[in-house]
Amino acid sequence: MQSLAGKVIFITGATSGFGAAFAENFLEKGAKVIATGRRRERLDELKLKKHPCGKNLHILQLDVRDQKAVSSAVNALPKEFADIDILINNAGLALGFGPAMESPLADWEQMVDTNIKGVLYCTHAILPGMIRRGSGHILNIGSVAGTYPYPGGNVYGATKAFVKQFSLNLRADLLGKNIRVTNIEPGMVETEFSVVRFHGNEGKADAVYAGMQPLSAQDIAESVLFCISCPPHVNINALEVMPVNQAFSPFAVHRKSSA
Ligand code: NDP
Ligand code: 8X3
């Protein structure tokens, strides 16, 4: 397995959930982490908690929906963080759980702008440097929702299907460039994800995980750690991971009433 010591890792959405766990785990392994997100106070907390001296952690307030901000932030990185070895496109969200015909268009647009366009903006800004250096790893956070449909998953699942296919197509284009691409596809993980999905309704969010053990952000950090630490000739294309107590339903069938 490869060591992470000295590797520069750019993480989007490092203020909570998976991204915060990635930052903490990889700092502990000696990586140089660029932690990004919109909530400045969370980034400051991470800095205070992990690396007050600032040596291995660079924090960057960034909204991945802002293409110009993404591109200037990547171009203005301090020299010791400029050569990004690993990009983790993690920032993302689901908004709403209702059927398509009841979903606000603004929610759909925010999911597309963050989960799709944010991934494209970061990849477009960071990939050229990887090509120049002849090495890199792009790790996207997809979801089981990108493969399996479920009621209320409409646009969220569709954005993650985009991420899945984009990851595979990047692999196709990057053949011979020594750049790895991985799509991580988790099932239920308890983070702030459901609180965000239900627009701050903590009761509804808690009900999602009631009576079962979901995955934790740490479980996902360990899966990612495995993918990025594999020997350089190994590419994990996709890694699907679910809690034991989550599985699949039969097809739903709507029948005429027999009255
Ligand atoms: P959290 O809500 O805990 O974290 C989401 C992170 O994304 C936050 O750090 C948030 O930071 C960041 N983010 C959201 N919008 C933006 C934006 N416009 N610009 C920059 N950062 C943004 O959820 P998770 O950790 O669970 O989610 C991480 C990823 O994992 C997402 O892509 C999600 O779809 C995916 N996923 C989650 C699963 C789960 O069950 N939890 C399962 C499968 C996939 P801030 O608000 O500070 O900007
Ligand atoms: C989130 C996982 O199962 O809630 O991507 O869609 S699920």
Side-chain angles (χ1 to χ4, degrees):
M1 299 301 267
Q2 297 189 75
S3 157
L4 288 196
K7 295 253 190 237
V8 178
I9 308 184
F10 189 104
I11 304 170
T12 66
T15 55
S16 156
F18 300 4
F22 299 159
E24 298 201 8
N25 277 264
F26 306 155
L27 282 166
E28 270 155 31
K29 302 271 175 213
K32 288 158 77 175
V33 168
I34 304 159
T36 77
R38 291 167 302 174
R39 283 171 290 180
R40 176 83 214 186
E41 67 288 358
R42 296 280 186 102
L43 296 171
D44 289 337
E45 271 168 39
L46 177 71
K47 181 109 184 168
L48 217 57
K49 186 162 130 199
K50 282 290 161 191
H51 274 258
C53 65
K55 201 170 137 271
N56 278 353
L57 174 62
H58 181 66
I59 56 172
L60 199 56
Q61 187 174 21
L62 188 63
D63 186 330
V64 294
R65 294 171 296 175
D66 183 341
Q67 186 270 325
K68 286 204 171 74
V70 169
S71 154
S72 358
V74 168
N75 290 328
L77 284 168
K79 196 162 60 63
E80 56 285 16
F81 289 92
D83 293 344
I84 298 165
D85 296 297
I86 300 166
L87 162 63
I88 307 187
N89 279 313
N90 164 72
L93 77 177
L95 287 172
F97 203 46
M101 53 285 190
E102 290 168 19
S103 304
L105 187 57
D107 284 358
W108 284 4
E109 286 178 326
Q110 189 174 345
M111 289 188 276
V112 168
D113 289 346
T114 311
N115 302 0
I116 295 182
K117 289 167 118 185
V119 168
L120 298 184
Y121 296 157
C122 293
T123 305
H124 198 265
I126 290 170
L127 184 55
M130 292 180 171
I131 300 275
R132 268 196 312 278
R133 291 184 293 280
S135 73
H137 193 160
I138 297 173
L139 207 136
N140 295 326
I141 305 297
S143 167
V144 292
T147 302
Y148 310 103
Y150 61 80
N154 44 72
V155 169
Y156 176 67
T159 64
K160 293 302 187 179
F162 175 94
V163 171
K164 181 187 179 94
Q165 197 64 17
F166 181 55
S167 305
L168 292 172
N169 282 338
L170 276 176
R171 284 277 294 128
D173 285 354
L174 293 173
L175 182 68
K177 303 289 184 202
N178 195 35
I179 296 175
R180 305 195 287 183
V181 185
T182 301
N183 194 39
I184 304 286
E185 302 169 9
M188 296 164 77
V189 190
E190 191 165 9
T191 59
E192 292 176 17
F193 177 83
S194 291
V195 178
V196 171
R197 180 169 225 171
F198 293 112
H199 297 280
N201 185 327
E202 302 218 355
K204 279 191 177 174
D206 288 346
V208 172
Y209 311 107
M212 58 88 67
Q213 184 176 2
L215 299 174
S216 66
Q218 182 61 26
D219 293 324
I220 304 304
E222 281 163 22
S223 304
V224 168
L225 187 59
F226 171 74
C227 297
I228 61 184
S229 311
C230 275
H233 67 287
V234 177
N235 192 97
I236 309 285
N237 294 342
L239 187 71
E240 184 179 293
V241 50
M242 269 183 167
V244 172
N245 283 324
Q246 180 185 22
F248 315 98
S249 297
F251 285 121
V253 179
H254 177 73
R255 301 181 195 283
K256 286 185 198 155
S257 74
S258 53

